[in-house]
Amino acid sequence: ISDTNEIIEKVLIDEESLNLRIKKLASYINEHYKDEDTLIMVAILKGSVMFMAELAKYIKVDTNLEFMAVSSYESGTESSGNVKILKDLDTDITDKNVLIVEDIIDTGHTLLKLKNNLQKRDPKDIKIITLLDKPERREVEIKPDWYGFKIPNEFVVGFGLDYDQRLRNLPYIGVLKREVYEK
Ligand code: PRP
Ligand code: MN
Ligand code: MG
């Protein structure tokens, strides 16, 4: 097992920048929902675990933390609008404000399908916050209501994001060395 630092090309967003930006994002959320009586934050496993945990620390309005697991590649259904739910919400979102918490929007397929799925449950409102946005890679039209950083099309890992299930634990967002995923 190798030292993780050896397979990182460079640090794209360091720990301090992440923390500062996440506090700022939390202030937008606090302001937006201050007069609402519900807020259900829904993190999508596993990538958004770190972001959810850090963001939630600074949320001042009353909120529920919920988690969902979905499968992004159910063969043949890429454009059907269906998403395979591996772990569903534990709570009813009817008439509630829902905030989907994602680590990254890449092609957009995951979020588009998930949003359609949640919409059918008649929530009061659904908004999306993502830590990272890679707009160059988008294949379907979906935009976050809030984002942390727009990033170029590079293979990023850390702070929840994985390469083959590894490196989620890095405290920063790093770019993976090319030779790691090309060999
Ligand atoms: C990654 C990432 C987003 C999704 C974005 O999750 O965490 O959830 O892909 O991709 P998209 O915009 O192209 O749909 P992944 O399916 O790798 O699962 P993970 O969160 O468990 O790593
Ligand atoms: Mn994910
Ligand atoms: Mg992943």
Side-chain angles (χ1 to χ4, degrees):
I1 188 160
S2 55
D3 183 334
T4 49
N5 292 308
E6 279 166 25
I7 60 176
I8 300 300
E9 179 72 47
K10 64 171 185 215
V11 175
L12 190 66
I13 309 168
D14 66 24
E15 209 176 337
E16 196 193 339
S17 309
L18 284 170
N19 294 349
L20 270 173
R21 182 65 182 152
I22 292 170
K23 278 184 199 167
K24 190 82 198 168
L25 291 173
S27 73
Y28 299 148
I29 303 299
N30 289 330
E31 175 61 25
H32 183 82
Y33 292 98
K34 68 178 192 299
D35 298 323
E36 297 291 332
D37 52 9
T38 58
L39 175 60
I40 300 181
M41 295 171 72
V42 177
I44 313 307
L45 296 170
K46 307 173 185 165
S48 58
V49 162
M50 296 271 204
F51 180 41
M52 173 73 138
E54 189 62 20
L55 182 67
K57 280 160 53 178
Y58 307 105
I59 299 299
K60 310 271 190 242
V61 295
D62 198 8
T63 188
N64 288 22
L65 306 186
E66 283 286 328
F67 298 87
M68 278 181 92
V70 300
S71 135
S72 47
Y73 298 114
E74 198 187 359
S75 61
T77 59
E78 198 63 42
S79 56
S80 72
N82 292 320
V83 60
K84 188 170 178 192
I85 296 179
L86 305 174
K87 190 232 171 283
D88 209 338
L89 298 174
D90 295 325
T91 192
D92 183 0
I93 59 169
T94 311
D95 298 327
K96 306 274 174 70
N97 291 298
V98 173
L99 177 62
I100 302 175
V101 178
E102 257 291 32
D103 53 326
I104 187 166
I105 311 181
D106 192 6
T107 65
H109 288 289
T110 305
L111 266 180
L112 187 70
K113 290 176 189 173
L114 182 72
K115 198 178 174 187
N116 289 339
N117 178 288
L118 295 180
Q119 202 69 64
K120 290 181 192 140
R121 307 181 195 193
D122 296 319
K124 181 176 179 193
D125 179 63
I126 300 180
K127 293 216 173 331
I128 295 170
I129 185 165
T130 186
L131 179 62
L132 306 176
D133 190 359
K134 248 190 204 179
E136 269 176 64
R137 289 260 305 164
R138 204 73 95 252
E139 292 175 6
V140 291
E141 185 149 339
I142 188 137
K143 280 198 180 119
D145 296 278
W146 298 277
Y147 68 90
F149 302 88
K150 286 201 171 142
I151 60 163
N153 188 13
E154 290 184 289
F155 201 130
V156 287
V157 292
F159 207 75
L161 289 97
D162 71 304
Y163 162 62
D164 203 14
Q165 302 301 331
R166 298 162 57 201
L167 304 170
R168 294 191 198 275
N169 57 302
L170 298 180
Y172 57 84
I173 301 285
V175 176
L176 199 60
K177 278 186 182 161
R178 257 186 137 46
E179 64 245 41
V180 178
Y181 58 91
E182 278 182 351
K183 72 173 179 221

